[in-house]
């Protein structure tokens, strides 16, 4: 059964269900909007059915945050989620094992329940051996905090093979794989083989653009940026799919689809989509700032206005004036 095996029920398992990859608000000077972040996290974590919030991911612009800011964002996320029972996960992006241990330790000290461990990004160009890939996780496991594997698309040199993932799930600290292969031909096979290898480790889809197909094909939940944008809708889609209620899941997906087109524009999640997501939630009056950190430049007024018009056309009130956006006066 989807989302279940002999040892795991997705509703009861601490690492199954819906995990929201969260945005990070910034002040006009690009400093972290601390109170705004606390309020936003409280809003997302307070939605019934959200199992965890994930800060310092790509949705949260980790690549633009200094190391001390990542730890601070983790602390603020813990404060925002306090009292909800929702887990806090902090992303870790490092180029070497020692740095990875440092960041994982800082996240643990800031109160995170787990880390989302990204592959070193120099692998994207140069590749790596299987021994190096598995060894990196073994090294960072020394921080003694639960680890979520961030699986990159199969077409990158940083994506893990099935054999590598089988080795990773044998590491005691690994509790989940955020599965982002974006290779639907191998999705079900990878899910089945990994569940046979380590039933305790959950497999969560991060395919915002293929959410329902991956959930139906085999997953224990979803770790997605869209759950940090519209958590209520994502809970409905994911729970319906995991409960094998396909008519209900398809009905919910019909509500999600027009929003997804506004944010993702028929593409994969990336900086452009995350920026449109932040702007859209800000236009709806549900996010304190539309500022995106450099080197990403502000959206010009025309696409912001277009987003406002498209949101209102599908029934989402947008009380914020697009002319207040950071890039309103910039050229297209």
């Amino acid at each position: 059964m989807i989302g279940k095996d002999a040892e795991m029920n997705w509703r009861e398992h601490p690492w199954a269900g819906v995990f929201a990859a969260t945005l990070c608000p910034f002040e006009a000077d690009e400093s972290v909007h601390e109170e705004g972040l606390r309020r936003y996290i409280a809003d997302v974590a307070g939605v019934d059915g959200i199992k965890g919030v994930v800060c310092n991911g790509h949705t949260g612009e980790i690549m633009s945050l200094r190391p001390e800011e990542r730890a601070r964002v983790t602390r603020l996320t813990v404060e925002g989620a306090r009292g909800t029972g929702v887990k806090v996960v902090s992303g870790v992006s490092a180029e070497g094992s020692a740095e990875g241990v440092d960041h994982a330790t800082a996240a643990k000290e800031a109160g995170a329940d787990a880390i989302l461990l990204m592959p070193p990004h120099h692998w994207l160009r140069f590749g790596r051996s299987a021994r190096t890939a598995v060894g990196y996780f073994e090294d960072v496991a020394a921080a003694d905090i639960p680890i979520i594997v961030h699986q990159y698309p199969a077409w990158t040199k940083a994506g893990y093979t099935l054999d590598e993932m089988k080795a990773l799930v044998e590491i005691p600290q690994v509790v989940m794989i955020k599965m982002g292969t974006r290779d639907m031909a191998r999705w079900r096979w990878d899910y089945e083989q990994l569940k046979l290898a380590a039933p305790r480790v959950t497999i969560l889809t991060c395919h915002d653009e293929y959410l329902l197909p991956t959930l139906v094909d085999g997953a224990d939940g979803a770790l997605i940026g869209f759950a940090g944008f519209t958590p209520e809708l994502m809970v409905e889609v994911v729970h319906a799919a995991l409960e094998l209620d396909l008519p209900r899941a398809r009905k919910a997906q019909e509500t999600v689809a027009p929003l997804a087109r506004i944010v993702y524009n028929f593409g994969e999640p990336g900086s452009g989509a995350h920026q449109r997501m932040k702007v859209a939630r800000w236009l709806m009056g549900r996010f304190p700032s539309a500022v995106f950190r450099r080197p990403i430049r502000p959206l010009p007024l025309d696409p912001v206005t277009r987003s406002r018009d498209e949101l209102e056309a599908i029934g989402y009130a947008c009380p914020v004036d697009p002319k207040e956006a950071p890039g309103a006066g910039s050229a297209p």
Side-chain angles (χ1 to χ4, degrees):
M1 296 180 68
I2 295 173
K4 294 184 178 180
D5 57 45
E7 298 183 17
M8 194 271 284
N9 179 294
W10 69 269
R11 284 194 176 275
E12 299 173 358
H13 197 291
W15 302 107
V18 182
F19 284 69
T22 55
L23 298 158
C24 186
F26 298 106
E27 305 275 10
D29 64 359
E30 296 188 15
S31 61
V32 175
H33 194 310
E34 296 196 354
E35 184 53 35
L37 178 56
R38 287 191 195 93
R39 291 197 307 268
Y40 163 65
I41 294 296
D43 187 17
V44 175
V47 172
D48 186 33
I50 292 292
K51 191 71 73 70
V53 288
V54 185
C55 64
N56 293 328
H58 293 131
T59 305
E61 301 174 60
I62 184 175
M63 310 315 292
S64 71
L65 293 171
R66 301 178 180 91
E68 63 274 13
E69 290 177 317
R70 298 178 190 183
R72 180 61 180 158
V73 165
T74 303
R75 290 190 186 92
L76 293 165
T77 301
V78 169
E79 291 172 9
R82 186 167 292 143
T84 64
V86 166
K87 290 188 177 298
V88 171
V89 179
S90 181
V92 168
S93 178
E95 292 303 293
S97 293
E99 183 189 8
V101 171
D102 288 347
H103 283 274
T105 300
K108 181 180 178 181
E109 291 174 348
D113 297 296
I115 61 168
L116 172 65
L117 187 55
M118 303 174 192
H121 283 181
H122 68 270
W123 293 357
L124 291 168
R125 179 176 180 185
F126 300 111
R128 77 293 181 282
S129 68
R131 185 179 178 188
T132 292
V134 176
Y136 179 61
F137 279 80
E138 293 172 336
D139 294 340
V140 178
D144 195 25
I145 183 172
I147 297 173
I148 297 172
V149 176
H150 196 320
Q151 166 69 307
Y152 276 26
W155 53 264
T156 72
K157 292 182 180 181
Y160 307 113
T161 66
L162 177 57
D163 284 342
E164 289 167 350
M165 287 190 286
K166 284 182 177 179
L168 292 177
V169 298
E170 293 302 317
I171 299 171
Q173 288 81 2
V174 171
V175 296
M176 180 202 298
I177 295 179
K178 177 188 176 184
M179 188 69 83
T181 53
R182 289 179 163 77
D183 183 351
M184 292 303 296
R186 64 182 270 192
W187 180 274
R188 181 69 194 186
W189 175 252
D190 285 358
Y191 177 78
E192 291 175 341
Q193 295 304 303
L194 289 166
K195 299 305 288 187
L196 287 172
R200 68 176 182 86
V201 176
T202 55
I203 312 298
L204 270 65
T205 179
C206 65
H207 292 50
D208 298 68
E209 74 280 30
Y210 301 128
L211 181 59
L212 191 53
T214 50
L215 286 166
V216 170
D217 216 17
D220 303 312
L223 195 169
I224 45 176
F226 221 60
F229 176 48
T230 56
E232 301 88 352
L233 285 178
M234 291 302 101
V235 166
E236 176 64 10
V237 172
V238 174
H239 284 197
L242 294 178
E243 291 168 4
L244 304 180
D245 188 343
L246 188 57
R248 177 177 147 218
R250 291 185 66 178
K251 182 177 180 181
Q253 183 65 18
E254 288 173 3
T255 305
V256 172
L259 278 173
R261 285 192 289 271
I262 294 170
V263 170
Y264 296 112
N265 194 26
F266 298 100
E268 291 184 15
S271 293
H274 298 148
Q275 187 176 27
R276 289 189 294 272
M277 183 184 297
K278 177 180 280 191
V279 168
R281 192 169 169 101
W282 170 77
L283 285 167
M284 291 188 288
R286 300 187 66 190
F287 202 71
S289 167
V291 174
F292 215 79
R293 264 214 176 159
R294 290 174 293 174
I296 304 298
R297 266 37 191 180
L299 289 175
L301 179 59
D302 284 352
V304 176
T305 301
R306 184 163 58 251
S307 290
R308 188 271 316 272
D309 294 344
E310 290 172 345
L311 287 166
E312 292 192 331
I314 57 174
Y316 288 89
C318 293
V320 178
D321 187 344
K323 293 180 181 178
E324 297 177 17
S330 60

